[in-house]
Amino acid sequence: MTEFINNYFKIKERNSSIKTEFLGGLLNFITIMYILVVNPSLFAHAGMDFGGVYLATIGAIVIGCLYMGAVSNYPIIIAPGLGINAYVVYTIIEAMGYSWQSALGCCFVASAIFLLLSMTSFREQLINSIPECLKVGITSGIGLFIAFIGLKNGSLVIANAGTYVAIGDMATPATALTAVGVILTLVLTILRVPAAMLLSMLILTIIAYLAGMLQMPEHFFALPTGIDTTVGGLELSQVPDMIPIVLVILLVTMFDTTGTMIGLAKQAHLMKGGVFPNLRGALMADAFASFWGTLLGTGPSSSFVESSAGIMSGSRTGLTAVVTGLLFIFMIFLFPIAQAMAAVPSITAPILIIAGIHMFNEIRTLEWDKERIMFPAVLTCVMMPLTYSITNGVAVGIISYVILNLAARKREDIHPLLYLFAIWFLLDFLKII
């Protein structure tokens, strides 16, 4: 058996060991465990059953990690993406008024297209059509967007008639707990404490319980409820009227996860001559997980930067991802604990805020001295939280990029597909389509 595992995952060839790969999988499991509370709590805001989304989240993780590990042989975690799922919940459902069934229908169509494109080279061409500055603007904008959602959910930012937004009342328990959570998570992160986000959530749970804000479940172990309300609950009837939304989900999911994968492969020294071996196979993992995840009852999946925890410990093969995926199966029975933690928004809000800050960090790579590049990127970034829509940010960014580069006579920097995207979004803004 040991010989088979070594040969199948090429463990010795990549200068690793079975023990190292198992420990890396366990470490990745611990660092990403917070997603089982945060992702279902997001969709609970949209009226979905927490238990159903909890099981769908586990299903998507298991499918994605097993595919990434057993088929693609990379130590990379695949799980439902917080950025894109926050967009699904707070923009498509909450702000635009679509039902969660129709929103998941859009995610399913985008994921199906995503899966088909991943089988061809067109996915890479589509990713390359988006200029680097807009990728930076979109990633950073999504970071601001989910950080803003975390601030709002944790009552650190509240609505105000005069100034639109204002700081929350620090004397209230919920706001104070969120503030403590943000500081605690940042300190643990800066100190490089393993599983900082999970540890922070556990500490906040204890504080909330002692403060009388959290009611512990009667039973710590039980199977999720409400599964039948989410599995296969998506609807496709409104999708033809939501094509711009489908396009945004497709674009954001594609290049977000691609960038993360390439970065992790570099960290693990798996790149060969600057080339990502078996890139198509790796890209198939998140597409496969997204497709089945939407059918189970959650949003699109993505590769997670937390995979670096296992990589830093020496993981180099897909056995790490397989171990991570298998460990999540046992989390099905801890559903009552996750549900109790999610009932207190101040426990999960700091995670959204810190995750958003991490994504916003990408803005540092922008070429600030080139105005035709800088302006579209910044417009993309700020329009997302200020209009409460990733779609608006992407649309404004693409339209402004095309116009400014045409004005600067830099037509060679505009991919032909960008003209189509710009025209489509402009017509959508003008309500012509």
Side-chain angles (χ1 to χ4, degrees), residues 334-393:
L334 293 179
F335 162 69
I337 299 175
Q339 188 175 37
M341 294 170 68
V344 183
S346 297
I347 294 176
T348 56
I351 306 305
L352 289 175
I353 295 168
I354 305 307
I357 293 173
H358 276 301
M359 293 183 72
F360 181 71
N361 181 49
E362 190 69 19
I363 199 72
R364 63 187 168 80
T365 64
L366 189 63
E367 295 183 77
W368 293 95
D369 57 332
K370 295 182 179 179
E371 293 181 333
R372 64 184 177 85
I373 288 176
M374 181 268 290
F375 282 127
V378 174
L379 281 172
T380 300
C381 184
V382 300
M383 286 295 286
M384 288 184 186
L386 294 183
T387 65
Y388 218 65
S389 171
I390 293 176
T391 304
N392 290 341

Side-chain angles (χ1 to χ4, degrees), residues 27-360:
L27 186 57
N28 280 351
F29 167 72
I30 294 171
T31 59
I32 199 65
M33 205 189 298
Y34 69 87
I35 198 73
L36 290 183
V37 178
V38 180
N39 190 61
S41 66
L42 278 178
F43 284 96
H45 281 285
M48 294 184 70
D49 185 90
F50 183 92
V53 182
Y54 180 83
L55 187 63
T57 302
I58 291 176
I61 294 172
V62 172
I63 291 170
C65 286
L66 291 184
Y67 192 104
M68 177 62 78
V71 180
S72 306
N73 200 21
Y74 285 113
I76 298 174
I77 302 169
I78 301 294
L82 288 183
I84 193 65
N85 288 334
Y87 165 65
V88 171
V89 171
Y90 292 100
T91 298
I92 301 175
I93 300 173
E94 188 176 274
M96 301 177 73
Y98 289 104
S99 66
W100 66 261
Q101 292 90 342
S102 294
L104 282 188
C106 281
C107 293
F108 172 74
V109 172
S111 298
I113 298 172
F114 189 25
L115 188 59
L116 291 173
L117 291 178
S118 296
M119 299 176 184
T120 71
S121 61
F122 188 71
R123 172 177 175 173
E124 295 171 49
Q125 294 176 29
L126 194 57
I127 292 170
N128 293 334
S129 72
I130 306 297
E132 191 61 33
C133 66
L134 290 186
K135 292 177 184 175
V136 170
I138 292 171
T139 302
S140 303
I142 293 174
L144 281 182
F145 182 61
I146 65 173
F148 179 66
I149 289 170
L151 290 166
K152 181 177 75 73
N153 289 351
S155 302
L156 278 175
V157 170
I158 59 174
N160 181 280
T163 60
Y164 297 106
V165 291
I167 194 166
D169 184 1
M170 292 294 179
T172 61
T175 308
L177 185 62
T178 303
V180 169
V182 171
I183 295 171
L184 175 63
T185 309
L186 286 173
V187 169
L188 292 176
T189 301
I190 289 172
L191 294 177
R192 297 291 187 270
V193 175
M197 290 189 179
L198 176 63
L199 180 59
S200 174
M201 283 180 60
L202 293 176
I203 294 173
L204 291 178
T205 300
I206 294 171
I207 295 173
Y209 175 71
L210 295 176
M213 299 169 63
L214 180 144
Q215 185 176 357
M216 294 303 292
E218 294 182 8
H219 306 285
F220 285 167
F221 303 99
L223 291 172
T225 58
I227 299 169
D228 57 321
T229 64
T230 55
V231 176
L234 56 85
E235 292 181 359
L236 302 175
S237 58
Q238 283 192 291
V239 171
D241 299 323
M242 303 168 72
I243 297 302
I245 295 173
V246 173
L247 180 60
V248 169
I249 293 173
L250 179 63
L251 289 176
V252 170
T253 306
M254 278 201 302
F255 66 72
D256 175 49
T257 192
T258 303
T260 303
M261 281 187 191
I262 291 173
L264 292 169
K266 288 179 179 177
Q267 183 183 17
H269 305 292
L270 297 175
M271 302 285 279
K272 295 181 179 179
V275 176
F276 194 137
N278 191 26
L279 175 60
R280 187 173 299 175
L283 295 177
M284 280 288 291
D286 60 323
F288 199 66
S290 294
F291 179 82
W292 287 106
T294 54
L295 286 175
L296 291 172
T298 186
S301 294
S302 179
S303 54
F304 268 67
V305 72
E306 279 84 354
S307 305
S308 62
I311 291 172
M312 288 174 65
S313 71
S315 297
R316 294 295 181 269
T317 77
L319 180 58
T320 290
V322 169
V323 171
T324 301
L326 293 177
L327 287 172
F328 268 101
I329 295 176
F330 297 100
M331 295 303 295
I332 294 174
F333 304 101
L334 293 179
F335 162 69
I337 299 175
Q339 188 175 37
M341 294 170 68
V344 183
S346 297
I347 294 176
T348 56
I351 306 305
L352 289 175
I353 295 168
I354 305 307
I357 293 173
H358 276 301
M359 293 183 72
F360 181 71

